[in-house]
Amino acid sequence: MRRRSFWADDPRKTMSPIEPVRRIEHPRDNEADNPRPRLEWLVANGLGGYASGTVAGVVTRRYHGLLVAALPAPLGRMVMLNHLLERARLNDKRVVWLGDEHQVAGSNAADRGGHLVEFRLELGLPVWIYDFDGTRIEKRLLMPHGQNTTHLTYRLIQGPGPVRLSLRPSVHFRSYESSVSDARPLPYAVTAVGSRYEVSAGSELPVLRLCLHGDHAALTLDEVGAAQVTYAMEKLRGYESVGTLWSPGYFRVDLDDQLPVTLIASTEPWESIEALSPEHAAQAEIDRRRHLLDIAGPPRDPLARELVLAADQFVITPAGRAEEAARARAAGEHVRTIIAGYHWFTDWGRDTMISLEGLTLSTHRFREASYILRTFGHYVRDGLIPNMFPDGAREGLYHTADATLWFFHAVDRYVRVTGDYDTVRHLLPTFVGIVRCHIQGTRFGIGVDEADGLLRQGADGFQLTWMDAKVDDWIVTPRRGKAVEINALWFNALRLMQRWISETGAPAGAEGLDLASRAQRAEHAFNDRFWNATGGYLFDVIDGEHGNDPACRPNQVLAISLDNPVLDRARWAAVMQVVHDRLLTPVGLRSLAPGHPDYKSKYFGDLRSRDAAYHQGTVWAWLIGPFVDAWLKVYPGDRSGARGLLRGFDPHLGEACVGSISEIFDADPPYTPRGCIAQAWSVAEVLRCLLKTADADEGSASRAVGLSERSSAGEVTEPSSPQR
């Protein structure tokens, strides 16, 4: 007697009203004449690995794959299962294809694609519905948390059965950053033990394990290579865009309305793969996601609920840093970090500290927040935390002037929410060392200028602030000198140190820091030297290579938004007026005001073209967080206005990576999403601000009316003035 699978019941029947569903009807039709990138989806596994592709099924990026495994150093993330060609023979003998017609171009099938009638996310997991004149097939994908494993489940939800499915996997084992044109190192080999199959390409590479659960499942060995596979997004981005895939053959299986079919692809040992049946693995992941919503509140706002699940994609246990894991286990802790963005970012110190509040504190994942902070505390070198950990590396790179100062901010937000002063006591000696290194001077020219008490930074060949675009030897946004946000963060760090020492006592080595007088001196110099009286806002950099830089940039907002604002209160409204009028968009702040000679309205083209625009006008979603904080300081009664600043993100969750927020956007309407399809600090800051303004009365009058309204033509209404 056959047993019904978990997926044999329609999960929508058991979905709670508070569980988010984002539905896109006829997604291919929406893409037909759309100049924007194709809709994409993303599922992460809690290790830094993921599955991702276009909704239509076309592989357009080198980073796309149904299994991109996060493997121990030195391997890093590797594309293990690139693509799956899906064909169905219906009860009436017709042969049809699931997915986009372009993925099967050149085939002799009588019917090619075009049958995707719905795509949706349920609890953040993707679901596809294909309709063939009344025969409906549903496809679902998930990754069991903490495993480099992907489950693809097919279900006949309408029409006569059985349906004969044919599933042809295609592979190109390579680092996810490698060129698609790289030749495979060795011939692939396939071995079988019963219904288990293994694909290997030499002892230095991992093994891809495949198995199929279903009626009359079998693998037909039919080795083929697909020539001239074109990756459209790589071509647009100026990279090698043509490569080959290899397939060992195809699986065939019968599908009816009683028994779904699940294909499993994994790099895990067989005992881990088979520890749970497909239905139990699915239920475990559903339960885990429901638990995330439960512990987060759950938030009343549907958008916030979606972002709680999107936030989960970035909180990971890093694969392969064995020393770090051993140290944590010895202390009774766990290693956690934050992936800065998918597909190509690893864990970055700056992004982690900016994202920590929204990803972990706003979602009530307090223990993981503590693990993240303690993890980075172990990596402080010469008063700096790592800027980033390269993929597959065990040690970080330290070329950053601001990430370490954001560390203070993240710990402060953590303590304010949790009251966990044990973590402060644990980290305070480290912070004392950080402050002392900054006073005395450390790497990359980072140090206090004793002439005015402000913090300067700069070294040949390095861009040390968050505006870190660099092409070969060209620093696109040179900010050597005293940057406005670096000094806002420095002042904030000094004041936080004062408070922590007052509350917990001074650790050894704290003597002689003279925090109060240093903070007062820095505050006085900041207000005296950064104020640009001509423009009515703050210089972006002073004492730079070319003097003081009057470019109107969003960095100045931090002088107001941080918990210890360095800017004199009398100047807040003027600065916010300028930022509001010149930098604000429905999806974040421009990185440079229009009218500047270096302003770029689009982020597009090859690497040099993109980096030339990266911080020269391009909109950054994460900056809406500091802007909302500063707005509520200037206008504490205008919570509905602050909430209105976030309205542009709801439609965005259905236009790029469904259910997540992109890294950046073009500077002018229609604000096309660009960069990483899912970015940690974008999700974190929007979620944090949604929860911060959750009690706002959106029906009331607001100074920010219309700021986030986007018309169907992609235009934005003019914002009202913040002046009373």
Side-chain angles (χ1 to χ4, degrees), residues 187-308:
Y188 293 103
V190 181
T191 57
V193 179
S195 60
R196 299 170 169 182
Y197 303 93
E198 295 186 351
V199 179
S200 58
S203 60
E204 295 183 357
L205 294 176
V207 172
L208 173 65
R209 297 181 173 90
L210 299 166
C211 60
L212 184 63
H213 291 249
D215 263 7
H216 304 103
L219 173 66
T220 298
L221 293 177
D222 178 27
E223 179 178 337
V224 296
Q228 303 301 305
V229 177
T230 300
Y231 297 76
M233 285 301 295
E234 298 307 306
K235 184 176 182 179
L236 289 175
R237 289 162 54 84
Y239 297 113
E240 289 289 331
S241 60
V242 178
T244 60
L245 299 177
W246 176 86
S247 174
Y250 60 90
F251 289 97
R252 64 181 188 276
V253 65
D254 287 342
L255 177 67
D256 62 28
D257 61 353
Q258 294 296 308
L259 189 66
V261 167
T262 298
L263 176 68
I264 299 177
S266 180
T267 61
E268 303 291 339
W270 282 112
E271 55 267 28
S272 297
I273 298 170
E274 297 174 339
L276 293 177
S277 65
E279 56 265 35
H280 288 131
Q283 187 63 63
E285 182 60 17
I286 293 287
D287 290 345
R288 190 186 73 84
R289 288 167 178 262
R290 286 173 171 162
H291 179 64
L292 293 176
L293 290 174
D294 288 343
I295 64 174
R300 292 177 298 169
D301 186 300
L303 178 59
R305 292 197 294 272
E306 285 189 81
L307 292 180
V308 167

Side-chain angles (χ1 to χ4, degrees), residues 304 307-308 311 358 362-363 682-692:
L307 292 180
V308 167
S362 295
T363 58
S682 300
V683 170
E685 286 296 88
V686 173
L687 174 57
R688 179 179 69 82
C689 292
L690 280 170
L691 298 178
K692 182 173 183 174

Side-chain angles (χ1 to χ4, degrees), residues 587-588 619-625 649 661-665 682 686:
V587 284
V619 174
W620 291 75
W622 80 269
L623 291 167
I624 201 65
F649 293 102
I661 301 178
S662 299
E663 177 190 13
I664 52 178
F665 301 79
S682 300
V686 173

Side-chain angles (χ1 to χ4, degrees), residues 90 94-97 104 107-115 132-133:
L90 305 181
R94 280 185 300 148
V95 175
V96 297
W97 296 85
V104 292
S107 73
N108 294 319
D111 194 354
R112 297 181 188 160
H115 300 284
F132 307 95
D133 300 325

Side-chain angles (χ1 to χ4, degrees), residues 559-712:
I560 302 171
S561 66
L562 292 170
D563 289 341
N564 296 283
V566 67
L567 182 62
D568 188 283
R569 184 181 296 269
R571 291 170 172 166
W572 289 3
V575 168
M576 290 300 289
Q577 175 78 56
V578 170
V579 174
H580 175 286
D581 292 347
R582 302 185 66 186
L583 301 179
L584 185 63
T585 78
V587 284
L589 300 185
R590 296 183 178 96
S591 48
L592 180 65
H596 192 283
D598 294 330
Y599 180 77
K600 303 289 190 299
S601 63
K602 289 187 177 182
Y603 177 87
F604 191 72
D606 61 17
L607 179 61
R608 189 174 186 87
S609 298
R610 296 195 313 275
D611 278 349
Y614 204 34
H615 299 290
Q616 304 288 43
T618 295
V619 174
W620 291 75
W622 80 269
L623 291 167
I624 201 65
F627 187 84
V628 166
D629 291 339
W631 184 274
L632 289 174
K633 285 187 175 183
V634 178
Y635 307 111
D638 191 22
R639 298 180 70 80
S640 62
R643 191 167 186 81
L645 299 169
L646 308 171
R647 290 195 192 111
F649 293 102
D650 195 349
H652 171 63
L653 263 66
E655 70 173 357
C657 180
V658 181
S660 195
I661 301 178
S662 299
E663 177 190 13
I664 52 178
F665 301 79
D666 282 347
D668 290 349
Y671 307 110
T672 301
R674 306 286 190 185
C676 276
I677 64 169
Q679 194 76 3
W681 58 12
S682 300
V683 170
E685 286 296 88
V686 173
L687 174 57
R688 179 179 69 82
C689 292
L690 280 170
L691 298 178
K692 182 173 183 174
T693 60
D695 58 349
D697 178 6
E698 295 202 56
S700 64
S702 166
R703 294 180 181 85
V705 168
L707 287 174
S708 299
E709 297 297 335
R710 218 183 314 191
S711 73
S712 59

Side-chain angles (χ1 to χ4, degrees), residues 163-488:
V163 169
R164 171 60 64 92
L165 277 183
S166 295
L167 306 173
R168 178 180 284 278
S170 296
V171 302
H172 177 192
F173 293 176
R174 57 175 172 81
S175 165
Y176 77 137
E177 286 279 18
S178 294
S179 170
V180 298
S181 63
D182 282 0
R184 67 190 191 213
L186 291 171
Y188 293 103
V190 181
T191 57
V193 179
S195 60
R196 299 170 169 182
Y197 303 93
E198 295 186 351
V199 179
S200 58
S203 60
E204 295 183 357
L205 294 176
V207 172
L208 173 65
R209 297 181 173 90
L210 299 166
C211 60
L212 184 63
H213 291 249
D215 263 7
H216 304 103
L219 173 66
T220 298
L221 293 177
D222 178 27
E223 179 178 337
V224 296
Q228 303 301 305
V229 177
T230 300
Y231 297 76
M233 285 301 295
E234 298 307 306
K235 184 176 182 179
L236 289 175
R237 289 162 54 84
Y239 297 113
E240 289 289 331
S241 60
V242 178
T244 60
L245 299 177
W246 176 86
S247 174
Y250 60 90
F251 289 97
R252 64 181 188 276
V253 65
D254 287 342
L255 177 67
D256 62 28
D257 61 353
Q258 294 296 308
L259 189 66
V261 167
T262 298
L263 176 68
I264 299 177
S266 180
T267 61
E268 303 291 339
W270 282 112
E271 55 267 28
S272 297
I273 298 170
E274 297 174 339
L276 293 177
S277 65
E279 56 265 35
H280 288 131
Q283 187 63 63
E285 182 60 17
I286 293 287
D287 290 345
R288 190 186 73 84
R289 288 167 178 262
R290 286 173 171 162
H291 179 64
L292 293 176
L293 290 174
D294 288 343
I295 64 174
R300 292 177 298 169
D301 186 300
L303 178 59
R305 292 197 294 272
E306 285 189 81
L307 292 180
V308 167
L309 296 175
D312 178 60
Q313 297 172 328
F314 305 102
V315 181
I316 71 160
T317 300
R321 301 211 284 260
E323 178 184 346
E324 183 176 315
R327 182 173 54 237
R329 285 195 299 270
E333 299 176 353
H334 298 277
V335 178
R336 294 290 187 275
T337 190
I338 288 174
I339 286 285
Y342 293 97
H343 303 100
W344 48 81
F345 280 113
T346 59
D347 43 340
W348 286 55
R350 174 191 305 115
D351 300 58
T352 295
M353 298 309 155
I354 293 173
S355 302
L356 183 122
E357 183 177 8
L359 299 185
T360 62
L361 302 181
S362 295
T363 58
H364 297 175
R365 299 173 69 166
F366 305 134
R367 183 173 295 180
E368 287 166 297
S370 175
Y371 291 155
I372 290 167
L373 295 172
R374 289 172 181 251
T375 294
F376 271 86
H378 288 303
Y379 279 98
V380 173
R381 304 285 186 274
D382 298 325
L384 303 174
I385 67 169
N387 185 42
M388 63 170 294
F389 289 89
D391 198 64
R394 296 181 176 89
E395 283 289 330
L397 303 178
Y398 287 81
H399 50 286
T400 173
D402 55 347
T404 311
L405 302 177
W406 280 109
F407 193 11
F408 290 79
H409 170 80
V411 170
D412 178 50
R413 291 294 173 91
Y414 169 77
V415 174
R416 286 174 183 266
V417 171
T418 66
D420 176 14
Y421 276 89
D422 286 341
T423 294
V424 173
R425 293 185 187 93
H426 175 81
L427 292 172
L428 200 52
T430 299
F431 284 143
V432 166
I434 289 172
V435 171
R436 195 171 293 283
C437 283
H438 280 66
I439 292 172
Q440 296 172 348
T442 185
R443 305 184 192 182
F444 309 112
I446 300 169
V448 170
D449 182 351
E450 291 299 343
D452 59 9
L454 296 173
L455 197 63
R456 61 189 173 193
Q457 52 80 30
D460 287 338
F462 292 94
Q463 176 58 292
L464 304 175
T465 74
W466 80 276
M467 292 189 158
D468 53 4
K470 180 176 181 289
V471 182
D472 298 325
D473 295 329
W474 176 34
I475 304 295
V476 183
T477 46
R479 302 183 75 226
R480 293 179 65 172
K482 298 164 184 172
V484 63
E485 82 280 10
I486 299 294
N487 281 280

